[in-house]
Amino acid sequence: MQIWPGRPYPLGATYDGAGTNFALFSEVAERVELCLIDADGTEQRLDLPEMDGFVWHAYLPAVQPGQRYGYRVHGPFHPESGARCQPEKLLLDPYAKAIEGQVDGDESLFSYHFDRPGEVNDDDSLGHTMLSVVVNPYFDWGNDRRPGHEYHESVIYEAHVKGLTMLHPDVPEEIRGTYAAMAHPAVIDHLVSLGVTAVELMPVHQFVQDTHLVDKGLTNYWGYNTIGFFAPHNAYSSTGQQGQQVQEFKSMVRALHEANIEVILDVVYNHTAEGNHMGPTLCFRGIDNQAYYRLVDEDKKHYFDTTGTGNSLLMRSPHVLQLIMDSLRYWVTEMHVDGFRFDLAATLARQFHEVDRLSAFFDLVQQDPIVSQVKLIAEPWDVGDGGYQVGGFPPLWTEWNGRYRDTVRDFWRGEPKTLGEFASRISGSSDLYAHSGRKPIASINFITAHDGFTMRDLVSYNDKHNDANGEGGADGESHNRSWNCGVEGETEDAEIVALRARQHRNLLTTLLMSQGVPMILHGDELGRTQRGNNNVYCQDNELSWVDWDLSAPQRELLEFSRRVVALRREEPAFQRRRFFAGEAGHGGESEVGDIEWFSNEGHEMTDADWGDASNRTVMVFLNGEAIPEPDRRGERITGDSFLVLYNPWHETVEFTLPEKAYGDDWRPRLDTADDQVGIISIFTEESAFSPGAKLPVASRSVLVLARGPLGDK
């Protein structure tokens, strides 16, 4: 086979239409072999002849897309000093665009023998590990266009490729659970009808199935165990053909874009699937362990772990930073994704030990002309010291607002002394973001996510029920801020069923009526349950998949969800891009402020009202005529003004509407007490109420009133 010198950049395997350039970074390597693997497993080893700047490279004219390959890196094996080169281990390309197969847990994958851990294991791992695949980069994107939704207009839908589609009856069985299923009209029609503007896909980077889970008959369902930062996960491909997952992923993105839906990826750049010193040698460990991982300074045999997974990537290494930035740019430019949610993002800010918002990673993102222009969402915590960083990320970033989640849960389960913080959270969390020049859109508001209870389970269980995970209940969050409404788990008690349904509507309404960017967990609009399991990371089965066989109450919930999302979409008052100022005439010509808080008696809230631990109810006025920001054409934004009445109390509370200055007439737009199976709302859209009117707001409900005479809407 002809071997030409090739080029050191770009890293990875790059097909140009005639042949393939291979380039691999390793500073510690003394010799690197490129291994070409035939379909029958036959291996051909070729020494990479050139090395520039610690990048080993070659060009092979004969190599075409579909070629399987790996690397064997020759160099020192001194774990005590951090070096772990073992040429007996066939290694993945860190820049592989596609990966074939899965690891099988064989002893050859490890640097030690299971029964003799002190003895070095030099068994060959070929046949037991995953293989890199050369891909064809060419794809007909047609007229693909990024939707480009502004944050304030966005409604994000967190979804799992397999979990969302595996049971959908209108998706052909042979493609369920795949990228092709996500692109199927039945799935896209559901997303469009719900009104979401973006899907945030749980990890689709190639991940590894943990041996200890497979041994128990379980799998890594969530996928937070990445090994390939450029490769779409191969198990989500409907064809099973090597390298075709790339084309199928692109087709999915194109289909979602055609429906005006953005694609955001949940990415895991904080650690890899190789784990700690007892983990397998699959890629980075054998290529250049010290360059890729954070090691314990005084004991380089062990890994410094702020992720709880066994290792952390070395964020002060220029090669790690290059890997991450190259990966991000690849997914934007070649795969056309619209943004990223960064798992355990505080770890990315740890150049040394502390979390530093001025770290090199943030600097690189800030100045990058491609990555800086897409949606960047941080999970602003990790498990290390000082890792909880809600409100601590730089201005370019948005954050999962964990304090929003906790406060809204507490408010609706009836916890005292939550009213003041509840008001801060639903008005945009200025206390968290204004100090850094950020705006309400910095807050990704969520009440439920993949990690924890579904919304239905949040109102049905006080405790987690994770027996199926086989960990004796030790896994999963124990403090869920949930309330079962009187009975643990499923029940046929009509009153409790009706109360749970109302609480579900209360949570959805609060989420969509809050300032910031709402995120809905897939299936919450359908009443999906995990039967009390709040940690289904290993449950790739019907416990975690969305069940599309809907009961009548579930169909009603879906219609309610569509209605409340539509209300948010139609009304600028719920989509502010700037924090409230509270001043009359601010941003418009209104004689009253842009926001006002009232007690249920109709007077403005006082410090005493806010400080009263027994006070649970509140009424908020949102002025649609006092929105300071112009639209994209520079025209002034106006819309309806609203009163939103929150009553989490267990009894009906009478609310008195405020004085005439805030509005002459008020009409109902949404009432969560209208539950179709329990207490029917006394309000209809034909009703109209004047200033000073006394309205009985049902227990544990939200009433949304719009200003203006009948016939306006």
Side-chain angles (χ1 to χ4, degrees), residues 410-411 414-423 597-619 646-650 653-655:
D410 281 346
F411 179 80
E415 286 295 293
K417 300 181 180 179
T418 58
L419 192 59
E421 185 163 4
F422 177 76
W597 302 91
F598 297 96
S599 72
N600 66 285
E601 297 174 348
H603 64 72
E604 295 180 7
M605 291 282 286
T606 65
D607 290 343
D609 291 327
W610 289 116
D612 185 353
S614 65
N615 190 17
R616 307 292 178 85
T617 62
V618 71
M619 176 168 47
Y646 293 95
N647 178 21
W649 194 240
H650 63 273
V653 173
E654 186 176 77
F655 280 73

mmCIF file of all heavy atoms in Angstrom, residues 410-411 414-423 597-619 646-650 653-655:
data_model
loop_
_atom_site.group_PDB
_atom_site.id
_atom_site.type_symbol
_atom_site.label_atom_id
_atom_site.label_comp_id
_atom_site.label_asym_id
_atom_site.label_seq_id
_atom_site.Cartn_x
_atom_site.Cartn_y
_atom_site.Cartn_z
ATOM 1 N N ASP A 410 -40.913 23.844 45.479
ATOM 2 C CA ASP A 410 -41.267 24.137 46.871
ATOM 3 C C ASP A 410 -42.556 24.945 46.956
ATOM 4 O O ASP A 410 -43.404 24.711 47.828
ATOM 5 C CB ASP A 410 -40.127 24.896 47.553
ATOM 6 C CG ASP A 410 -38.993 23.989 47.992
ATOM 7 O OD1 ASP A 410 -39.186 22.759 48.012
ATOM 8 O OD2 ASP A 410 -37.904 24.501 48.311
ATOM 9 N N PHE A 411 -42.699 25.919 46.077
ATOM 10 C CA PHE A 411 -43.887 26.782 46.099
ATOM 11 C C PHE A 411 -45.156 25.960 45.925
ATOM 12 O O PHE A 411 -46.122 26.112 46.685
ATOM 13 C CB PHE A 411 -43.770 27.828 44.988
ATOM 14 C CG PHE A 411 -44.937 28.754 44.885
ATOM 15 C CD1 PHE A 411 -45.063 29.840 45.742
ATOM 16 C CD2 PHE A 411 -45.930 28.553 43.927
ATOM 17 C CE1 PHE A 411 -46.151 30.709 45.643
ATOM 18 C CE2 PHE A 411 -47.018 29.405 43.818
ATOM 19 C CZ PHE A 411 -47.128 30.489 44.688
ATOM 20 N N GLY A 414 -46.245 23.614 48.752
ATOM 21 C CA GLY A 414 -46.741 24.279 49.945
ATOM 22 C C GLY A 414 -45.714 24.617 50.993
ATOM 23 O O GLY A 414 -46.077 24.839 52.156
ATOM 24 N N GLU A 415 -44.446 24.688 50.621
ATOM 25 C CA GLU A 415 -43.415 25.045 51.592
ATOM 26 C C GLU A 415 -43.560 26.510 51.994
ATOM 27 O O GLU A 415 -43.764 27.383 51.140
ATOM 28 C CB GLU A 415 -42.026 24.820 51.002
ATOM 29 C CG GLU A 415 -41.625 23.363 50.907
ATOM 30 C CD GLU A 415 -41.497 22.724 52.283
ATOM 31 O OE1 GLU A 415 -40.585 23.109 53.036
ATOM 32 O OE2 GLU A 415 -42.306 21.829 52.585
ATOM 33 N N PRO A 416 -43.441 26.827 53.296
ATOM 34 C CA PRO A 416 -43.528 28.229 53.718
ATOM 35 C C PRO A 416 -42.268 29.002 53.330
ATOM 36 O O PRO A 416 -41.237 28.420 52.992
ATOM 37 C CB PRO A 416 -43.664 28.114 55.239
ATOM 38 C CG PRO A 416 -42.987 26.825 55.584
ATOM 39 C CD PRO A 416 -43.270 25.904 54.422
ATOM 40 N N LYS A 417 -42.378 30.323 53.382
ATOM 41 C CA LYS A 417 -41.251 31.243 53.147
ATOM 42 C C LYS A 417 -40.645 31.084 51.750
ATOM 43 O O LYS A 417 -39.451 31.247 51.554
ATOM 44 C CB LYS A 417 -40.157 31.046 54.205
ATOM 45 C CG LYS A 417 -40.626 31.283 55.635
ATOM 46 C CD LYS A 417 -39.492 31.097 56.633
ATOM 47 C CE LYS A 417 -39.963 31.327 58.048
ATOM 48 N NZ LYS A 417 -38.871 31.137 59.049
ATOM 49 N N THR A 418 -41.462 30.768 50.776
ATOM 50 C CA THR A 418 -40.958 30.628 49.407
ATOM 51 C C THR A 418 -41.441 31.743 48.493
ATOM 52 O O THR A 418 -40.970 31.848 47.355
ATOM 53 C CB THR A 418 -41.402 29.287 48.799
ATOM 54 O OG1 THR A 418 -42.827 29.205 48.813
ATOM 55 C CG2 THR A 418 -40.808 28.109 49.566
ATOM 56 N N LEU A 419 -42.362 32.596 48.964
ATOM 57 C CA LEU A 419 -43.032 33.547 48.084
ATOM 58 C C LEU A 419 -42.062 34.537 47.452
ATOM 59 O O LEU A 419 -42.122 34.806 46.241
ATOM 60 C CB LEU A 419 -44.131 34.287 48.846
ATOM 61 C CG LEU A 419 -45.103 35.114 48.003
ATOM 62 C CD1 LEU A 419 -45.808 34.231 46.989
ATOM 63 C CD2 LEU A 419 -46.127 35.814 48.907
ATOM 64 N N GLY A 420 -41.155 35.085 48.259
ATOM 65 C CA GLY A 420 -40.224 36.080 47.740
ATOM 66 C C GLY A 420 -39.315 35.519 46.668
ATOM 67 O O GLY A 420 -39.122 36.129 45.605
ATOM 68 N N GLU A 421 -38.759 34.338 46.928
ATOM 69 C CA GLU A 421 -37.871 33.759 45.930
ATOM 70 C C GLU A 421 -38.657 33.285 44.715
ATOM 71 O O GLU A 421 -38.163 33.370 43.579
ATOM 72 C CB GLU A 421 -37.048 32.610 46.509
ATOM 73 C CG GLU A 421 -36.036 32.093 45.507
ATOM 74 C CD GLU A 421 -34.925 31.261 46.117
ATOM 75 O OE1 GLU A 421 -34.961 31.002 47.331
ATOM 76 O OE2 GLU A 421 -34.021 30.872 45.357
ATOM 77 N N PHE A 422 -39.863 32.829 44.921
ATOM 78 C CA PHE A 422 -40.709 32.449 43.792
ATOM 79 C C PHE A 422 -40.904 33.638 42.848
ATOM 80 O O PHE A 422 -40.784 33.504 41.623
ATOM 81 C CB PHE A 422 -42.061 31.944 44.304
ATOM 82 C CG PHE A 422 -43.041 31.590 43.233
ATOM 83 C CD1 PHE A 422 -42.912 30.411 42.511
ATOM 84 C CD2 PHE A 422 -44.111 32.428 42.939
ATOM 85 C CE1 PHE A 422 -43.830 30.075 41.515
ATOM 86 C CE2 PHE A 422 -45.031 32.106 41.956
ATOM 87 C CZ PHE A 422 -44.890 30.926 41.237
ATOM 88 N N ALA A 423 -41.145 34.804 43.420
ATOM 89 C CA ALA A 423 -41.316 36.002 42.600
ATOM 90 C C ALA A 423 -40.044 36.325 41.825
ATOM 91 O O ALA A 423 -40.103 36.710 40.650
ATOM 92 C CB ALA A 423 -41.715 37.184 43.478
ATOM 93 N N TRP A 597 -46.596 43.748 41.889
ATOM 94 C CA TRP A 597 -47.004 42.588 42.669
ATOM 95 C C TRP A 597 -48.117 43.009 43.634
ATOM 96 O O TRP A 597 -47.999 44.022 44.336
ATOM 97 C CB TRP A 597 -45.816 42.030 43.457
ATOM 98 C CG TRP A 597 -44.654 41.646 42.586
ATOM 99 C CD1 TRP A 597 -43.604 42.433 42.225
ATOM 100 C CD2 TRP A 597 -44.441 40.383 41.961
ATOM 101 N NE1 TRP A 597 -42.743 41.749 41.413
ATOM 102 C CE2 TRP A 597 -43.224 40.477 41.233
ATOM 103 C CE3 TRP A 597 -45.144 39.172 41.938
ATOM 104 C CZ2 TRP A 597 -42.707 39.412 40.499
ATOM 105 C CZ3 TRP A 597 -44.637 38.112 41.213
ATOM 106 C CH2 TRP A 597 -43.433 38.229 40.503
ATOM 107 N N PHE A 598 -49.178 42.217 43.672
ATOM 108 C CA PHE A 598 -50.322 42.519 44.517
ATOM 109 C C PHE A 598 -50.621 41.349 45.442
ATOM 110 O O PHE A 598 -50.413 40.180 45.077
ATOM 111 C CB PHE A 598 -51.565 42.797 43.668
ATOM 112 C CG PHE A 598 -51.455 43.989 42.773
ATOM 113 C CD1 PHE A 598 -51.085 43.832 41.441
ATOM 114 C CD2 PHE A 598 -51.717 45.264 43.254
ATOM 115 C CE1 PHE A 598 -50.985 44.931 40.609
ATOM 116 C CE2 PHE A 598 -51.617 46.368 42.417
ATOM 117 C CZ PHE A 598 -51.243 46.209 41.095
ATOM 118 N N SER A 599 -51.139 41.694 46.607
ATOM 119 C CA SER A 599 -51.676 40.665 47.496
ATOM 120 C C SER A 599 -53.023 40.215 46.957
ATOM 121 O O SER A 599 -53.583 40.820 46.040
ATOM 122 C CB SER A 599 -51.851 41.227 48.909
ATOM 123 O OG SER A 599 -52.951 42.127 48.934
ATOM 124 N N ASN A 600 -53.558 39.164 47.519
ATOM 125 C CA ASN A 600 -54.878 38.716 47.065
ATOM 126 C C ASN A 600 -55.950 39.743 47.392
ATOM 127 O O ASN A 600 -57.039 39.720 46.812
ATOM 128 C CB ASN A 600 -55.229 37.365 47.679
ATOM 129 C CG ASN A 600 -55.404 37.422 49.185
ATOM 130 O OD1 ASN A 600 -54.413 37.510 49.910
ATOM 131 N ND2 ASN A 600 -56.639 37.384 49.657
ATOM 132 N N GLU A 601 -55.663 40.696 48.297
ATOM 133 C CA GLU A 601 -56.627 41.740 48.644
ATOM 134 C C GLU A 601 -56.578 42.906 47.670
ATOM 135 O O GLU A 601 -57.349 43.863 47.796
ATOM 136 C CB GLU A 601 -56.377 42.225 50.071
ATOM 137 C CG GLU A 601 -56.595 41.130 51.110
ATOM 138 C CD GLU A 601 -56.215 41.581 52.509
ATOM 139 O OE1 GLU A 601 -55.565 42.650 52.633
ATOM 140 O OE2 GLU A 601 -56.565 40.885 53.468
ATOM 141 N N GLY A 602 -55.658 42.862 46.706
ATOM 142 C CA GLY A 602 -55.632 43.873 45.665
ATOM 143 C C GLY A 602 -54.724 45.050 45.929
ATOM 144 O O GLY A 602 -54.662 45.971 45.103
ATOM 145 N N HIS A 603 -53.999 45.059 47.045
ATOM 146 C CA HIS A 603 -53.063 46.164 47.295
ATOM 147 C C HIS A 603 -51.648 45.729 46.941
ATOM 148 O O HIS A 603 -51.339 44.532 46.910
ATOM 149 C CB HIS A 603 -53.145 46.655 48.742
ATOM 150 C CG HIS A 603 -52.737 45.630 49.769
ATOM 151 N ND1 HIS A 603 -51.436 45.232 49.972
ATOM 152 C CD2 HIS A 603 -53.482 44.938 50.670
ATOM 153 C CE1 HIS A 603 -51.379 44.345 50.930
ATOM 154 N NE2 HIS A 603 -52.609 44.127 51.373
ATOM 155 N N GLU A 604 -50.801 46.716 46.667
ATOM 156 C CA GLU A 604 -49.425 46.407 46.314
ATOM 157 C C GLU A 604 -48.737 45.697 47.481
ATOM 158 O O GLU A 604 -48.920 46.068 48.645
ATOM 159 C CB GLU A 604 -48.670 47.680 45.943
ATOM 160 C CG GLU A 604 -49.200 48.349 44.685
ATOM 161 C CD GLU A 604 -48.428 49.612 44.322
ATOM 162 O OE1 GLU A 604 -47.396 49.886 44.976
ATOM 163 O OE2 GLU A 604 -48.852 50.324 43.399
ATOM 164 N N MET A 605 -47.959 44.716 47.159
ATOM 165 C CA MET A 605 -47.264 43.942 48.191
ATOM 166 C C MET A 605 -46.294 44.841 48.955
ATOM 167 O O MET A 605 -45.543 45.623 48.362
ATOM 168 C CB MET A 605 -46.501 42.789 47.552
ATOM 169 C CG MET A 605 -47.380 41.699 46.976
ATOM 170 S SD MET A 605 -48.050 40.573 48.227
ATOM 171 C CE MET A 605 -46.593 39.610 48.631
ATOM 172 N N THR A 606 -46.315 44.705 50.252
ATOM 173 C CA THR A 606 -45.414 45.451 51.123
ATOM 174 C C THR A 606 -44.302 44.533 51.623
ATOM 175 O O THR A 606 -44.355 43.307 51.436
ATOM 176 C CB THR A 606 -46.177 46.009 52.330
ATOM 177 O OG1 THR A 606 -46.657 44.891 53.122
ATOM 178 C CG2 THR A 606 -47.358 46.868 51.877
ATOM 179 N N ASP A 607 -43.301 45.115 52.259
ATOM 180 C CA ASP A 607 -42.242 44.297 52.846
ATOM 181 C C ASP A 607 -42.820 43.312 53.856
ATOM 182 O O ASP A 607 -42.353 42.166 53.963
ATOM 183 C CB ASP A 607 -41.194 45.192 53.517
ATOM 184 C CG ASP A 607 -40.368 45.973 52.509
ATOM 185 O OD1 ASP A 607 -40.378 45.595 51.326
ATOM 186 O OD2 ASP A 607 -39.726 46.970 52.907
ATOM 187 N N ALA A 608 -43.830 43.771 54.582
ATOM 188 C CA ALA A 608 -44.463 42.881 55.564
ATOM 189 C C ALA A 608 -45.145 41.704 54.870
ATOM 190 O O ALA A 608 -45.097 40.566 55.357
ATOM 191 C CB ALA A 608 -45.471 43.665 56.406
ATOM 192 N N ASP A 609 -45.781 41.990 53.735
ATOM 193 C CA ASP A 609 -46.431 40.905 52.990
ATOM 194 C C ASP A 609 -45.403 39.879 52.521
ATOM 195 O O ASP A 609 -45.617 38.667 52.627
ATOM 196 C CB ASP A 609 -47.170 41.467 51.774
ATOM 197 C CG ASP A 609 -48.381 42.294 52.157
ATOM 198 O OD1 ASP A 609 -49.016 41.977 53.172
ATOM 199 O OD2 ASP A 609 -48.680 43.265 51.436
ATOM 200 N N TRP A 610 -44.289 40.374 51.969
ATOM 201 C CA TRP A 610 -43.251 39.453 51.482
ATOM 202 C C TRP A 610 -42.643 38.654 52.628
ATOM 203 O O TRP A 610 -42.276 37.486 52.456
ATOM 204 C CB TRP A 610 -42.147 40.216 50.757
ATOM 205 C CG TRP A 610 -42.531 40.786 49.423
ATOM 206 C CD1 TRP A 610 -42.584 42.105 49.072
ATOM 207 C CD2 TRP A 610 -42.920 40.061 48.253
ATOM 208 N NE1 TRP A 610 -42.976 42.244 47.767
ATOM 209 C CE2 TRP A 610 -43.194 41.008 47.235
ATOM 210 C CE3 TRP A 610 -43.084 38.709 47.960
ATOM 211 C CZ2 TRP A 610 -43.601 40.651 45.950
ATOM 212 C CZ3 TRP A 610 -43.488 38.339 46.684
ATOM 213 C CH2 TRP A 610 -43.743 39.290 45.696
ATOM 214 N N GLY A 611 -42.520 39.269 53.785
ATOM 215 C CA GLY A 611 -41.879 38.599 54.916
ATOM 216 C C GLY A 611 -42.792 37.717 55.732
ATOM 217 O O GLY A 611 -42.327 36.999 56.630
ATOM 218 N N ASP A 612 -44.068 37.746 55.437
ATOM 219 C CA ASP A 612 -45.044 36.952 56.190
ATOM 220 C C ASP A 612 -44.957 35.489 55.747
ATOM 221 O O ASP A 612 -45.341 35.137 54.630
ATOM 222 C CB ASP A 612 -46.442 37.507 55.957
ATOM 223 C CG ASP A 612 -47.501 36.802 56.800
ATOM 224 O OD1 ASP A 612 -47.165 35.795 57.461
ATOM 225 O OD2 ASP A 612 -48.662 37.251 56.772
ATOM 226 N N ALA A 613 -44.454 34.625 56.637
ATOM 227 C CA ALA A 613 -44.250 33.214 56.291
ATOM 228 C C ALA A 613 -45.554 32.501 55.977
ATOM 229 O O ALA A 613 -45.559 31.492 55.270
ATOM 230 C CB ALA A 613 -43.528 32.501 57.425
ATOM 231 N N SER A 614 -46.657 33.036 56.484
ATOM 232 C CA SER A 614 -47.948 32.388 56.238
ATOM 233 C C SER A 614 -48.572 32.826 54.918
ATOM 234 O O SER A 614 -49.568 32.254 54.475
ATOM 235 C CB SER A 614 -48.920 32.699 57.380
ATOM 236 O OG SER A 614 -49.212 34.090 57.419
ATOM 237 N N ASN A 615 -47.989 33.828 54.290
ATOM 238 C CA ASN A 615 -48.547 34.336 53.040
ATOM 239 C C ASN A 615 -48.088 33.452 51.888
ATOM 240 O O ASN A 615 -46.889 33.318 51.626
ATOM 241 C CB ASN A 615 -48.100 35.788 52.823
ATOM 242 C CG ASN A 615 -48.826 36.442 51.672
ATOM 243 O OD1 ASN A 615 -49.865 35.956 51.221
ATOM 244 N ND2 ASN A 615 -48.288 37.547 51.188
ATOM 245 N N ARG A 616 -49.009 32.861 51.184
ATOM 246 C CA ARG A 616 -48.662 31.937 50.101
ATOM 247 C C ARG A 616 -49.106 32.437 48.730
ATOM 248 O O ARG A 616 -48.582 31.966 47.723
ATOM 249 C CB ARG A 616 -49.318 30.567 50.350
ATOM 250 C CG ARG A 616 -49.031 29.956 51.720
ATOM 251 C CD ARG A 616 -47.592 29.552 51.882
ATOM 252 N NE ARG A 616 -47.328 29.024 53.214
ATOM 253 C CZ ARG A 616 -47.535 27.752 53.559
ATOM 254 N NH1 ARG A 616 -47.984 26.890 52.668
ATOM 255 N NH2 ARG A 616 -47.279 27.354 54.788
ATOM 256 N N THR A 617 -50.085 33.339 48.677
ATOM 257 C CA THR A 617 -50.668 33.735 47.400
ATOM 258 C C THR A 617 -50.062 35.046 46.903
ATOM 259 O O THR A 617 -49.591 35.871 47.683
ATOM 260 C CB THR A 617 -52.186 33.897 47.521
ATOM 261 O OG1 THR A 617 -52.462 34.945 48.466
ATOM 262 C CG2 THR A 617 -52.834 32.613 47.983
ATOM 263 N N VAL A 618 -50.125 35.236 45.592
ATOM 264 C CA VAL A 618 -49.627 36.483 45.010
ATOM 265 C C VAL A 618 -50.283 36.688 43.658
ATOM 266 O O VAL A 618 -50.695 35.715 42.984
ATOM 267 C CB VAL A 618 -48.083 36.465 44.874
ATOM 268 C CG1 VAL A 618 -47.638 35.497 43.772
ATOM 269 C CG2 VAL A 618 -47.531 37.857 44.635
ATOM 270 N N MET A 619 -50.405 37.956 43.257
ATOM 271 C CA MET A 619 -50.943 38.334 41.952
ATOM 272 C C MET A 619 -49.920 39.252 41.295
ATOM 273 O O MET A 619 -49.488 40.233 41.900
ATOM 274 C CB MET A 619 -52.289 39.043 42.119
ATOM 275 C CG MET A 619 -52.902 39.578 40.842
ATOM 276 S SD MET A 619 -54.659 40.080 41.076
ATOM 277 C CE MET A 619 -54.600 41.049 42.593
ATOM 278 N N TYR A 646 -51.704 33.451 41.469
ATOM 279 C CA TYR A 646 -51.166 32.170 41.940
ATOM 280 C C TYR A 646 -51.745 31.853 43.318
ATOM 281 O O TYR A 646 -51.589 32.628 44.270
ATOM 282 C CB TYR A 646 -49.639 32.242 42.056
ATOM 283 C CG TYR A 646 -48.918 32.393 40.736
ATOM 284 C CD1 TYR A 646 -48.555 33.652 40.254
ATOM 285 C CD2 TYR A 646 -48.566 31.275 39.980
ATOM 286 C CE1 TYR A 646 -47.884 33.797 39.051
ATOM 287 C CE2 TYR A 646 -47.888 31.412 38.779
ATOM 288 C CZ TYR A 646 -47.555 32.667 38.321
ATOM 289 O OH TYR A 646 -46.872 32.812 37.132
ATOM 290 N N ASN A 647 -52.383 30.702 43.416
ATOM 291 C CA ASN A 647 -52.912 30.248 44.702
ATOM 292 C C ASN A 647 -52.465 28.812 44.971
ATOM 293 O O ASN A 647 -53.132 27.857 44.566
ATOM 294 C CB ASN A 647 -54.441 30.314 44.726
ATOM 295 C CG ASN A 647 -55.009 29.801 46.051
ATOM 296 O OD1 ASN A 647 -54.303 29.770 47.064
ATOM 297 N ND2 ASN A 647 -56.264 29.379 46.047
ATOM 298 N N PRO A 648 -51.342 28.626 45.683
ATOM 299 C CA PRO A 648 -50.901 27.274 46.029
ATOM 300 C C PRO A 648 -51.553 26.752 47.309
ATOM 301 O O PRO A 648 -51.243 25.641 47.744
ATOM 302 C CB PRO A 648 -49.396 27.459 46.221
ATOM 303 C CG PRO A 648 -49.276 28.842 46.782
ATOM 304 C CD PRO A 648 -50.368 29.652 46.123
ATOM 305 N N TRP A 649 -52.419 27.566 47.915
ATOM 306 C CA TRP A 649 -53.057 27.204 49.181
ATOM 307 C C TRP A 649 -54.072 26.094 48.965
ATOM 308 O O TRP A 649 -54.576 25.895 47.869
ATOM 309 C CB TRP A 649 -53.719 28.448 49.777
ATOM 310 C CG TRP A 649 -54.142 28.344 51.213
ATOM 311 C CD1 TRP A 649 -55.402 28.479 51.714
ATOM 312 C CD2 TRP A 649 -53.299 28.087 52.332
ATOM 313 N NE1 TRP A 649 -55.409 28.329 53.073
ATOM 314 C CE2 TRP A 649 -54.127 28.089 53.488
ATOM 315 C CE3 TRP A 649 -51.938 27.859 52.481
ATOM 316 C CZ2 TRP A 649 -53.628 27.861 54.760
ATOM 317 C CZ3 TRP A 649 -51.439 27.637 53.760
ATOM 318 C CH2 TRP A 649 -52.275 27.638 54.877
ATOM 319 N N HIS A 650 -54.357 25.338 50.060
ATOM 320 C CA HIS A 650 -55.252 24.186 49.940
ATOM 321 C C HIS A 650 -56.724 24.572 49.987
ATOM 322 O O HIS A 650 -57.597 23.687 49.957
ATOM 323 C CB HIS A 650 -54.950 23.170 51.050
ATOM 324 C CG HIS A 650 -55.187 23.698 52.430
ATOM 325 N ND1 HIS A 650 -54.220 24.385 53.132
ATOM 326 C CD2 HIS A 650 -56.277 23.651 53.230
ATOM 327 C CE1 HIS A 650 -54.701 24.737 54.311
ATOM 328 N NE2 HIS A 650 -55.953 24.292 54.397
ATOM 329 N N VAL A 653 -59.172 30.905 47.536
ATOM 330 C CA VAL A 653 -58.819 32.233 48.043
ATOM 331 C C VAL A 653 -59.461 33.276 47.143
ATOM 332 O O VAL A 653 -59.402 33.181 45.914
ATOM 333 C CB VAL A 653 -57.291 32.434 48.081
ATOM 334 C CG1 VAL A 653 -56.945 33.881 48.454
ATOM 335 C CG2 VAL A 653 -56.654 31.465 49.070
ATOM 336 N N GLU A 654 -60.073 34.288 47.771
ATOM 337 C CA GLU A 654 -60.696 35.366 47.016
ATOM 338 C C GLU A 654 -59.653 36.428 46.681
ATOM 339 O O GLU A 654 -58.960 36.929 47.563
ATOM 340 C CB GLU A 654 -61.837 35.986 47.831
ATOM 341 C CG GLU A 654 -62.641 37.022 47.059
ATOM 342 C CD GLU A 654 -63.810 37.535 47.872
ATOM 343 O OE1 GLU A 654 -63.581 38.364 48.777
ATOM 344 O OE2 GLU A 654 -64.957 37.090 47.606
ATOM 345 N N PHE A 655 -59.516 36.752 45.407
ATOM 346 C CA PHE A 655 -58.601 37.789 44.943
ATOM 347 C C PHE A 655 -59.400 39.019 44.528
ATOM 348 O O PHE A 655 -60.434 38.894 43.843
ATOM 349 C CB PHE A 655 -57.793 37.302 43.739
ATOM 350 C CG PHE A 655 -56.616 36.429 44.083
ATOM 351 C CD1 PHE A 655 -56.802 35.122 44.503
ATOM 352 C CD2 PHE A 655 -55.314 36.918 43.987
ATOM 353 C CE1 PHE A 655 -55.724 34.309 44.809
ATOM 354 C CE2 PHE A 655 -54.231 36.117 44.283
ATOM 355 C CZ PHE A 655 -54.427 34.804 44.701
#
